[in-house]
Amino acid sequence: MNFNLPILAPSILAADFTNLESDIKKAIKGGANWIHCDIMDGHFVPNISFGPGVVKQVSKISGDAFIDVHLMIENPDDYIDNFVEAGADMITVHYETTPHLHRSVQKIKSHGIMAGVVVNPATSLFNIEPILEYVDMVLIMTVNPGYGGQSFIESSYHKIKELVDIRETGEYGFLIQIDGGVNLKNIQKIAKAGADVLVAGNSVFSAKDIPARVKELMDKIS
Ligand code: DX5
Ligand code: ZN
């Protein structure tokens, strides 16, 4: 699949869930065409968010927007089918949640959708080297997963550049996604460091004018 990079991916975790359809449509009106869905189980991360039922609704109202499902859950393999049925175009699983990461990635791809691997801030990229040839995206967590509205971990810039180098040396084709603490002030620097997909939750959905904020963020990385 060809994407017009870099991409802004609003995370609906920060949306107003009493007006979810309207918030998503505002983000799309501003130019977003990639929706990031944060699935949290209260075990792998301390927070509980939403499940396949909400993703199904989101997929229905998001037109042809790309639905990116970020699984911050234990035993992710048990839920892959549900999120595929719900309309996920991509599912990313945390390296830290599955002892059989290669099997998880194979299972996602067997459904004909894209597969990604996620690493937490304290997880070295060298842990995921063996899987890099199989994934469509690597998600670098730039906050500790579980909540929106946290500050970007500054050492992440080095990790992004490290991953760009690994991709170049290994001639891999995966996208690099950055997730957590992205805002108007740092988005340009993060894109320049090598991010292809930039997730933004609070900086999008806390804005008074969501379409204008999406446009503002996208203008900074175009
Ligand atoms: C955190 C989630 C992120 C978060 C981003 O666990 O994976 O996607 O919602 O939200 P902001 O942009 O507010 O940090
Ligand atoms: Zn996320």
Side-chain angles (χ1 to χ4, degrees):
M1 200 177 221
N2 288 323
F3 295 101
N4 196 1
L5 301 176
I7 292 166
L8 179 77
S11 159
I12 60 168
L13 184 72
D16 171 0
F17 269 70
T18 61
N19 292 295
L20 188 56
E21 179 169 5
S22 138
D23 268 15
I24 290 175
K25 287 193 169 154
K26 284 176 186 168
I28 291 173
K29 185 169 167 229
N33 61 6
W34 178 306
I35 302 291
H36 184 80
C37 299
D38 284 312
I39 311 303
M40 302 176 178
D41 65 358
H43 293 281
F44 174 61
V45 292
N47 196 4
I48 296 175
S49 61
F50 51 89
V54 172
V55 172
K56 192 176 175 107
Q57 300 303 322
V58 169
S59 172
K60 242 178 6 198
I61 56 179
S62 299
D64 58 2
F66 188 84
I67 305 296
D68 154 29
V69 174
H70 173 193
L71 294 184
M72 287 166 274
I73 63 175
E74 288 178 359
N75 309 313
D77 291 15
D78 299 347
Y79 299 90
I80 288 168
D81 296 352
N82 307 54
F83 284 103
V84 171
E85 273 152 50
D89 295 302
M90 178 186 286
I91 296 177
T92 56
V93 294
H94 272 257
Y95 160 80
E96 302 87 358
T97 61
T98 165
H100 305 291
L101 179 57
H102 184 276
R103 183 189 298 153
S104 306
V105 168
Q106 271 188 324
K107 181 167 183 180
I108 296 167
K109 293 187 80 87
S110 71
H111 287 283
I113 67 168
M114 296 173 79
V117 60
V118 196
V119 283
N120 276 340
T123 301
S124 162
L125 293 171
F126 295 104
N127 290 300
I128 57 169
E129 286 248 39
I131 201 73
L132 291 178
E133 65 181 280
Y134 300 100
V135 297
D136 302 295
M137 191 167 79
V138 175
L139 196 177
I140 294 179
M141 287 307 297
T142 46
V143 294
N144 288 300
Y147 297 94
Q150 302 177 78
S151 303
F152 183 86
I153 296 171
E154 291 298 315
S155 59
S156 308
Y157 289 111
H158 172 72
K159 199 167 184 179
I160 300 166
K161 288 174 188 148
E162 208 184 336
L163 186 58
V164 169
D165 291 347
I166 291 171
R167 181 172 63 181
E168 253 149 52
T169 320
E171 293 179 354
Y172 297 116
F174 56 80
L175 294 171
I176 297 175
Q177 186 177 44
I178 299 306
D179 187 4
V182 176
N183 56 44
L184 279 173
K185 282 204 243 25
N186 62 19
I187 191 166
Q188 227 161 17
K189 187 178 173 189
I190 297 167
K192 276 211 179 81
D196 299 312
V197 183
L198 299 97
V199 175
N202 276 270
S203 55
V204 167
F205 292 109
S206 65
K208 275 207 179 29
D209 183 339
I210 292 172
R213 176 60 59 82
V214 167
K215 194 171 172 334
E216 214 178 344
L217 287 162
M218 289 177 73
D219 287 348
K220 281 196 176 283
I221 55 175
S222 54

